Amino acid sequence: MRLRLASYNIHAGVGTDKRFEPRRLAAVLRQLDADVIGLQEVVSVGPDGYALLDELAQACAMQAVAGPTMKRGDASYGNALLLRQPPSGVQRLELDYQQFEPRGALSVQLTYDGYEPLTVAVTHLGLRRKERLAQMKRLLSWLPHPPAPLILLGDFNEWLPWAYSLRLLRQQFGPTPFVRTFPSRLPLLPLDRIIARPTGLLQQPVERLLTTESRMASDHLPLTAEIRLPVHQA
């Protein structure tokens, strides 16, 4: 069974032209044509009560699962997943570090008849090296252990291949694709990733969507990948 996945830091819906354009962002999401989309920097509900996440889900005919990391009154902000199929389980993890911006991870389990259950997790790590390292250690201890099929999506805020946080990641996942996604108008840094295990789950190279619309809709470019879910072994 093939599934298409995407990861996208949407910059709260504000494009590189400084305009808040949910319809433009929704158009890019539809171009991804994905079964699962991991989002970062999502305003689930804004201070004015506007529900950006719900609008994006409706525009894509998908179900939204929110993983907020910051809440102020009725407003919330953080990670989210858009799904074509309702999840069979949802978990959330706090990754806060000292006094820095609250961070977290969101995971869902997806169950398809006749196939191995799939865990998909999305995260957005911090801006400082020690912060990312602490968050990576906690994240990896929280994720399901092999050989369970697992997809990890997110903005890791790390571009140096020798960084210790990425070395820890490679110990569990093997080689991790480096695709330049930031800044979207002239992508130089590979901050965003789609990572899978076991080896062979990914069926094609991780790619970025590089179009006129995607260069404008956010300061990051979205990534896409396809996996082949293994048949369940009774």
Side-chain angles (χ1 to χ4, degrees):
M1 177 178 185
R2 284 184 176 266
L3 293 174
R4 186 169 172 84
L5 301 107
S7 183
Y8 195 12
N9 183 327
I10 65 171
H11 200 226
V14 178
T16 54
D17 56 0
K18 310 301 181 184
R19 295 169 57 190
F20 178 67
E21 292 283 356
R23 291 184 180 179
R24 177 174 61 189
L25 181 58
V28 174
L29 292 174
R30 287 193 295 267
Q31 289 177 39
L32 299 175
D33 191 26
D35 300 289
V36 178
I37 305 176
L39 301 176
Q40 307 89 46
E41 296 192 17
V42 183
V43 179
S44 300
V45 180
D48 57 356
Y50 176 71
L52 173 61
L53 180 58
D54 287 345
E55 178 167 325
L56 295 177
Q58 183 175 2
C60 298
M62 301 177 81
Q63 175 176 329
V65 180
T69 57
M70 289 191 286
K71 294 184 178 181
R72 294 180 181 176
D74 294 331
S76 59
Y77 168 92
N79 303 304
L81 284 160
L82 296 178
L83 310 167
R84 293 206 187 279
Q85 173 177 305
S88 54
V90 178
Q91 290 187 306
R92 296 174 178 87
L93 172 70
E94 288 187 2
L95 292 173
D96 299 357
Y97 181 79
Q98 296 182 1
Q99 77 278 17
F100 303 126
E101 178 182 328
R103 303 284 180 171
L106 166 69
S107 79
V108 298
Q109 187 173 71
L110 299 174
T111 305
Y112 302 91
D113 290 342
Y115 295 90
E116 291 290 337
L118 174 68
T119 297
V120 180
V122 59
T123 193
H124 186 186
L125 302 187
L127 299 175
R128 297 157 185 84
R129 182 179 60 83
K130 288 185 178 180
E131 180 185 7
R132 290 192 295 273
L133 179 56
Q135 290 165 344
M136 183 65 74
K137 289 179 177 179
R138 189 171 182 189
L139 176 64
L140 291 176
S141 68
W142 177 71
L143 292 171
H145 297 295
L150 170 65
I151 301 292
L152 181 57
L153 312 168
D155 177 353
F156 289 82
N157 268 319
E158 187 62 81
W159 60 93
L160 299 174
W162 56 84
Y164 191 37
S165 61
L166 294 185
R167 288 167 56 192
L168 291 177
L169 195 65
R170 288 194 294 271
Q171 288 175 8
Q172 291 202 21
F173 286 85
T176 61
F178 274 55
V179 182
R180 300 174 192 272
T181 55
F182 180 87
S184 57
R185 285 189 169 180
L186 183 63
L188 299 172
L189 302 179
L191 301 185
D192 305 276
R193 288 178 176 80
I194 298 178
I195 306 168
R197 72 175 187 221
T199 302
L201 195 63
L202 283 177
Q203 293 296 297
Q204 65 178 38
V206 176
E207 299 178 340
R208 63 190 181 187
L209 180 68
L210 187 57
T211 65
T212 300
E213 292 82 6
S214 66
R215 286 179 185 271
M216 293 288 290
S218 171
D219 58 349
H220 288 243
L221 294 173
L223 292 177
T224 61
E226 286 191 5
I227 66 167
R228 182 184 292 276
L229 198 59
V231 174
H232 178 66
Q233 300 296 322

